[in-house]
Amino acid sequence: MGQEPLTYAFSLRSDISELQTLGRRLESIGVDLKLSKRCLFELNLALDELFTNIISYGYGDGHEHRIEVTLQADERMLNVTIEDDGVAFNPVERQAPCLPHSVDDCRVGGLGIHLIRNLMDEVCYRREGQKNILTLKKKIETISSHPYETGA
Amino acid sequence: MDIAEEKQAGVHAFKLKGRLDSNTSLAFEQRLFESITNGTKNVIIDFKELDYISSAGLRVILKATKALKRENGKIMLCAMQDYVKEVFEIAGFDAFLPIVPTLDDARRAL
């Protein structure tokens, strides 16, 4: 026991096409950590929603920015940190949207953040200097720990 | 993402393959709305080979559902991976969107 946690770090340009890079990076980390398809999907979805939010609302200057992503994995938990230098934005303090009863009262605002909060085990926000720092925790589910998944 | 289309007996089926996210949702939205504008009333979206969906994808489905409702049309979703279905459930979309196990089920329901 007491293994050193594995660390993965990469950065993304503030461009929507970088969603592909994010997907590819997470895919290879998923293979490395033997994450179940569901676990990898949920991780990818949470980071996709965050990244898309940051580049949609975080910058108004037309310049290219970098969003830094760090993942640390021990036997049980994934700890993810996302740092950006966009405008201060705390997704944790947003009210959860009311879930719709019919198509007419269904609104899409806040949906991404609602998904993040439901897919992650913990979401924390802090502002440090000019940076938004979001930390996420997710319990690891590996292929072997999931009896119904073959990994095929 | 690849989109295969199939028209049969007044039903327009869209078979999605790959990833439906902010990068690909616009292309899908255009294909869907071209069909609705041309008078399609019954739409099936087949998720069998779709590996990934984000809120951008949910938005397109919601928009199409509203447009079809205005035209007295119908939409059916089918063959989702369990983790894709979970996203619809978390978003609360399963309250008003019919999600069935297979493409045949969807055809029978229209």
PDB file of all heavy atoms in Angstrom, chain A residues 65-84:
ATOM      1  N   HIS A  65      -5.936  31.859 -24.687  1.00  0.00           N
ATOM      2  CA  HIS A  65      -5.587  31.558 -23.303  1.00  0.00           C
ATOM      3  C   HIS A  65      -5.334  30.062 -23.170  1.00  0.00           C
ATOM      4  O   HIS A  65      -5.681  29.286 -24.059  1.00  0.00           O
ATOM      5  CB  HIS A  65      -6.725  31.970 -22.367  1.00  0.00           C
ATOM      6  CG  HIS A  65      -6.951  33.437 -22.326  1.00  0.00           C
ATOM      7  ND1 HIS A  65      -6.505  34.240 -21.325  1.00  0.00           N
ATOM      8  CD2 HIS A  65      -7.582  34.253 -23.209  1.00  0.00           C
ATOM      9  CE1 HIS A  65      -6.848  35.498 -21.566  1.00  0.00           C
ATOM     10  NE2 HIS A  65      -7.501  35.533 -22.709  1.00  0.00           N
ATOM     11  N   ARG A  66      -4.763  29.700 -22.023  1.00  0.00           N
ATOM     12  CA  ARG A  66      -4.520  28.280 -21.760  1.00  0.00           C
ATOM     13  C   ARG A  66      -5.296  27.837 -20.534  1.00  0.00           C
ATOM     14  O   ARG A  66      -5.370  28.561 -19.540  1.00  0.00           O
ATOM     15  CB  ARG A  66      -3.030  28.046 -21.507  1.00  0.00           C
ATOM     16  CG  ARG A  66      -2.201  28.183 -22.751  1.00  0.00           C
ATOM     17  CD  ARG A  66      -1.689  26.830 -23.185  1.00  0.00           C
ATOM     18  NE  ARG A  66      -1.220  26.862 -24.555  1.00  0.00           N
ATOM     19  CZ  ARG A  66      -1.180  25.806 -25.351  1.00  0.00           C
ATOM     20  NH1 ARG A  66      -1.599  24.641 -24.930  1.00  0.00           N
ATOM     21  NH2 ARG A  66      -0.730  25.898 -26.577  1.00  0.00           N
ATOM     22  N   ILE A  67      -5.868  26.679 -20.623  1.00  0.00           N
ATOM     23  CA  ILE A  67      -6.573  26.089 -19.488  1.00  0.00           C
ATOM     24  C   ILE A  67      -5.758  24.870 -19.058  1.00  0.00           C
ATOM     25  O   ILE A  67      -5.468  23.990 -19.874  1.00  0.00           O
ATOM     26  CB  ILE A  67      -8.013  25.680 -19.880  1.00  0.00           C
ATOM     27  CG1 ILE A  67      -8.845  26.935 -20.209  1.00  0.00           C
ATOM     28  CG2 ILE A  67      -8.699  24.920 -18.738  1.00  0.00           C
ATOM     29  CD1 ILE A  67      -9.040  27.200 -21.641  1.00  0.00           C
ATOM     30  N   GLU A  68      -5.339  24.878 -17.798  1.00  0.00           N
ATOM     31  CA  GLU A  68      -4.449  23.818 -17.309  1.00  0.00           C
ATOM     32  C   GLU A  68      -5.266  22.739 -16.599  1.00  0.00           C
ATOM     33  O   GLU A  68      -6.094  23.043 -15.736  1.00  0.00           O
ATOM     34  CB  GLU A  68      -3.434  24.386 -16.304  1.00  0.00           C
ATOM     35  CG  GLU A  68      -2.676  25.612 -16.779  1.00  0.00           C
ATOM     36  CD  GLU A  68      -1.629  25.277 -17.825  1.00  0.00           C
ATOM     37  OE1 GLU A  68      -1.223  24.085 -17.893  1.00  0.00           O
ATOM     38  OE2 GLU A  68      -1.237  26.195 -18.579  1.00  0.00           O
ATOM     39  N   VAL A  69      -5.000  21.504 -16.962  1.00  0.00           N
ATOM     40  CA  VAL A  69      -5.705  20.377 -16.349  1.00  0.00           C
ATOM     41  C   VAL A  69      -4.695  19.444 -15.694  1.00  0.00           C
ATOM     42  O   VAL A  69      -3.697  19.078 -16.309  1.00  0.00           O
ATOM     43  CB  VAL A  69      -6.503  19.573 -17.409  1.00  0.00           C
ATOM     44  CG1 VAL A  69      -7.294  18.436 -16.749  1.00  0.00           C
ATOM     45  CG2 VAL A  69      -7.431  20.480 -18.205  1.00  0.00           C
ATOM     46  N   THR A  70      -4.920  19.115 -14.439  1.00  0.00           N
ATOM     47  CA  THR A  70      -4.056  18.152 -13.749  1.00  0.00           C
ATOM     48  C   THR A  70      -4.937  17.055 -13.148  1.00  0.00           C
ATOM     49  O   THR A  70      -5.946  17.341 -12.515  1.00  0.00           O
ATOM     50  CB  THR A  70      -3.281  18.837 -12.598  1.00  0.00           C
ATOM     51  OG1 THR A  70      -2.678  20.024 -13.100  1.00  0.00           O
ATOM     52  CG2 THR A  70      -2.194  17.923 -12.047  1.00  0.00           C
ATOM     53  N   LEU A  71      -4.533  15.818 -13.375  1.00  0.00           N
ATOM     54  CA  LEU A  71      -5.249  14.680 -12.785  1.00  0.00           C
ATOM     55  C   LEU A  71      -4.305  13.904 -11.900  1.00  0.00           C
ATOM     56  O   LEU A  71      -3.182  13.606 -12.298  1.00  0.00           O
ATOM     57  CB  LEU A  71      -5.710  13.715 -13.880  1.00  0.00           C
ATOM     58  CG  LEU A  71      -7.035  13.981 -14.566  1.00  0.00           C
ATOM     59  CD1 LEU A  71      -6.786  14.522 -15.940  1.00  0.00           C
ATOM     60  CD2 LEU A  71      -7.797  12.675 -14.658  1.00  0.00           C
ATOM     61  N   GLN A  72      -4.782  13.596 -10.716  1.00  0.00           N
ATOM     62  CA  GLN A  72      -4.004  12.742  -9.826  1.00  0.00           C
ATOM     63  C   GLN A  72      -4.859  11.551  -9.457  1.00  0.00           C
ATOM     64  O   GLN A  72      -6.026  11.718  -9.105  1.00  0.00           O
ATOM     65  CB  GLN A  72      -3.640  13.504  -8.566  1.00  0.00           C
ATOM     66  CG  GLN A  72      -2.226  14.023  -8.602  1.00  0.00           C
ATOM     67  CD  GLN A  72      -1.740  14.426  -7.225  1.00  0.00           C
ATOM     68  OE1 GLN A  72      -2.494  14.314  -6.257  1.00  0.00           O
ATOM     69  NE2 GLN A  72      -0.520  14.862  -7.147  1.00  0.00           N
ATOM     70  N   ALA A  73      -4.256  10.384  -9.537  1.00  0.00           N
ATOM     71  CA  ALA A  73      -5.034   9.187  -9.236  1.00  0.00           C
ATOM     72  C   ALA A  73      -4.324   8.350  -8.188  1.00  0.00           C
ATOM     73  O   ALA A  73      -3.145   8.038  -8.327  1.00  0.00           O
ATOM     74  CB  ALA A  73      -5.221   8.370 -10.510  1.00  0.00           C
ATOM     75  N   ASP A  74      -5.033   8.046  -7.115  1.00  0.00           N
ATOM     76  CA  ASP A  74      -4.527   7.003  -6.215  1.00  0.00           C
ATOM     77  C   ASP A  74      -5.405   5.773  -6.426  1.00  0.00           C
ATOM     78  O   ASP A  74      -6.127   5.698  -7.422  1.00  0.00           O
ATOM     79  CB  ASP A  74      -4.480   7.489  -4.754  1.00  0.00           C
ATOM     80  CG  ASP A  74      -5.842   7.925  -4.245  1.00  0.00           C
ATOM     81  OD1 ASP A  74      -6.860   7.400  -4.743  1.00  0.00           O
ATOM     82  OD2 ASP A  74      -5.899   8.784  -3.345  1.00  0.00           O
ATOM     83  N   GLU A  75      -5.370   4.818  -5.529  1.00  0.00           N
ATOM     84  CA  GLU A  75      -6.120   3.576  -5.789  1.00  0.00           C
ATOM     85  C   GLU A  75      -7.622   3.818  -5.874  1.00  0.00           C
ATOM     86  O   GLU A  75      -8.332   3.107  -6.561  1.00  0.00           O
ATOM     87  CB  GLU A  75      -5.871   2.529  -4.697  1.00  0.00           C
ATOM     88  CG  GLU A  75      -4.445   2.031  -4.615  1.00  0.00           C
ATOM     89  CD  GLU A  75      -3.679   2.704  -3.499  1.00  0.00           C
ATOM     90  OE1 GLU A  75      -3.347   3.905  -3.626  1.00  0.00           O
ATOM     91  OE2 GLU A  75      -3.437   2.043  -2.479  1.00  0.00           O
ATOM     92  N   ARG A  76      -8.107   4.818  -5.156  1.00  0.00           N
ATOM     93  CA  ARG A  76      -9.551   4.977  -5.032  1.00  0.00           C
ATOM     94  C   ARG A  76     -10.129   6.202  -5.727  1.00  0.00           C
ATOM     95  O   ARG A  76     -11.261   6.189  -6.179  1.00  0.00           O
ATOM     96  CB  ARG A  76      -9.931   5.044  -3.547  1.00  0.00           C
ATOM     97  CG  ARG A  76      -9.838   3.712  -2.819  1.00  0.00           C
ATOM     98  CD  ARG A  76     -10.283   3.878  -1.380  1.00  0.00           C
ATOM     99  NE  ARG A  76     -11.592   4.539  -1.289  1.00  0.00           N
ATOM    100  CZ  ARG A  76     -11.792   5.752  -0.795  1.00  0.00           C
ATOM    101  NH1 ARG A  76     -10.808   6.460  -0.328  1.00  0.00           N
ATOM    102  NH2 ARG A  76     -13.006   6.248  -0.726  1.00  0.00           N
ATOM    103  N   MET A  77      -9.344   7.282  -5.736  1.00  0.00           N
ATOM    104  CA  MET A  77      -9.928   8.549  -6.169  1.00  0.00           C
ATOM    105  C   MET A  77      -9.140   9.223  -7.288  1.00  0.00           C
ATOM    106  O   MET A  77      -7.919   9.136  -7.340  1.00  0.00           O
ATOM    107  CB  MET A  77      -9.956   9.545  -4.987  1.00  0.00           C
ATOM    108  CG  MET A  77     -10.841   9.168  -3.827  1.00  0.00           C
ATOM    109  SD  MET A  77     -12.590   9.071  -4.247  1.00  0.00           S
ATOM    110  CE  MET A  77     -13.033  10.804  -4.251  1.00  0.00           C
ATOM    111  N   LEU A  78      -9.898   9.891  -8.122  1.00  0.00           N
ATOM    112  CA  LEU A  78      -9.304  10.808  -9.092  1.00  0.00           C
ATOM    113  C   LEU A  78      -9.477  12.214  -8.543  1.00  0.00           C
ATOM    114  O   LEU A  78     -10.582  12.598  -8.146  1.00  0.00           O
ATOM    115  CB  LEU A  78     -10.077  10.751 -10.410  1.00  0.00           C
ATOM    116  CG  LEU A  78      -9.766   9.665 -11.424  1.00  0.00           C
ATOM    117  CD1 LEU A  78     -10.825   9.696 -12.509  1.00  0.00           C
ATOM    118  CD2 LEU A  78      -8.387   9.895 -12.021  1.00  0.00           C
ATOM    119  N   ASN A  79      -8.375  12.960  -8.508  1.00  0.00           N
ATOM    120  CA  ASN A  79      -8.450  14.362  -8.101  1.00  0.00           C
ATOM    121  C   ASN A  79      -8.065  15.206  -9.305  1.00  0.00           C
ATOM    122  O   ASN A  79      -6.955  15.083  -9.818  1.00  0.00           O
ATOM    123  CB  ASN A  79      -7.485  14.641  -6.955  1.00  0.00           C
ATOM    124  CG  ASN A  79      -7.878  13.875  -5.712  1.00  0.00           C
ATOM    125  OD1 ASN A  79      -8.833  14.228  -5.038  1.00  0.00           O
ATOM    126  ND2 ASN A  79      -7.169  12.795  -5.431  1.00  0.00           N
ATOM    127  N   VAL A  80      -8.989  16.040  -9.755  1.00  0.00           N
ATOM    128  CA  VAL A  80      -8.755  16.812 -10.962  1.00  0.00           C
ATOM    129  C   VAL A  80      -8.744  18.292 -10.612  1.00  0.00           C
ATOM    130  O   VAL A  80      -9.586  18.764  -9.848  1.00  0.00           O
ATOM    131  CB  VAL A  80      -9.870  16.556 -12.011  1.00  0.00           C
ATOM    132  CG1 VAL A  80      -9.494  17.163 -13.347  1.00  0.00           C
ATOM    133  CG2 VAL A  80     -10.155  15.071 -12.154  1.00  0.00           C
ATOM    134  N   THR A  81      -7.781  19.021 -11.161  1.00  0.00           N
ATOM    135  CA  THR A  81      -7.729  20.471 -10.974  1.00  0.00           C
ATOM    136  C   THR A  81      -7.765  21.151 -12.336  1.00  0.00           C
ATOM    137  O   THR A  81      -7.043  20.747 -13.243  1.00  0.00           O
ATOM    138  CB  THR A  81      -6.427  20.879 -10.253  1.00  0.00           C
ATOM    139  OG1 THR A  81      -6.319  20.117  -9.058  1.00  0.00           O
ATOM    140  CG2 THR A  81      -6.425  22.354  -9.908  1.00  0.00           C
ATOM    141  N   ILE A  82      -8.631  22.150 -12.465  1.00  0.00           N
ATOM    142  CA  ILE A  82      -8.716  22.911 -13.715  1.00  0.00           C
ATOM    143  C   ILE A  82      -8.463  24.381 -13.372  1.00  0.00           C
ATOM    144  O   ILE A  82      -9.137  24.941 -12.511  1.00  0.00           O
ATOM    145  CB  ILE A  82     -10.100  22.789 -14.392  1.00  0.00           C
ATOM    146  CG1 ILE A  82     -10.383  21.328 -14.714  1.00  0.00           C
ATOM    147  CG2 ILE A  82     -10.176  23.590 -15.680  1.00  0.00           C
ATOM    148  CD1 ILE A  82     -11.282  20.683 -13.720  1.00  0.00           C
ATOM    149  N   GLU A  83      -7.478  24.965 -14.023  1.00  0.00           N
ATOM    150  CA  GLU A  83      -7.131  26.366 -13.764  1.00  0.00           C
ATOM    151  C   GLU A  83      -7.301  27.179 -15.028  1.00  0.00           C
ATOM    152  O   GLU A  83      -6.831  26.792 -16.093  1.00  0.00           O
ATOM    153  CB  GLU A  83      -5.658  26.478 -13.346  1.00  0.00           C
ATOM    154  CG  GLU A  83      -5.369  25.938 -11.962  1.00  0.00           C
ATOM    155  CD  GLU A  83      -3.927  26.225 -11.562  1.00  0.00           C
ATOM    156  OE1 GLU A  83      -3.400  27.302 -11.955  1.00  0.00           O
ATOM    157  OE2 GLU A  83      -3.347  25.374 -10.880  1.00  0.00           O
ATOM    158  N   ASP A  84      -7.968  28.337 -14.876  1.00  0.00           N
ATOM    159  CA  ASP A  84      -8.050  29.244 -16.029  1.00  0.00           C
ATOM    160  C   ASP A  84      -7.894  30.677 -15.542  1.00  0.00           C
ATOM    161  O   ASP A  84      -8.097  30.969 -14.369  1.00  0.00           O
ATOM    162  CB  ASP A  84      -9.408  29.069 -16.745  1.00  0.00           C
ATOM    163  CG  ASP A  84     -10.571  29.574 -15.917  1.00  0.00           C
ATOM    164  OD1 ASP A  84     -10.868  30.790 -15.970  1.00  0.00           O
ATOM    165  OD2 ASP A  84     -11.180  28.755 -15.193  1.00  0.00           O
TER     166      ASP A  84
END
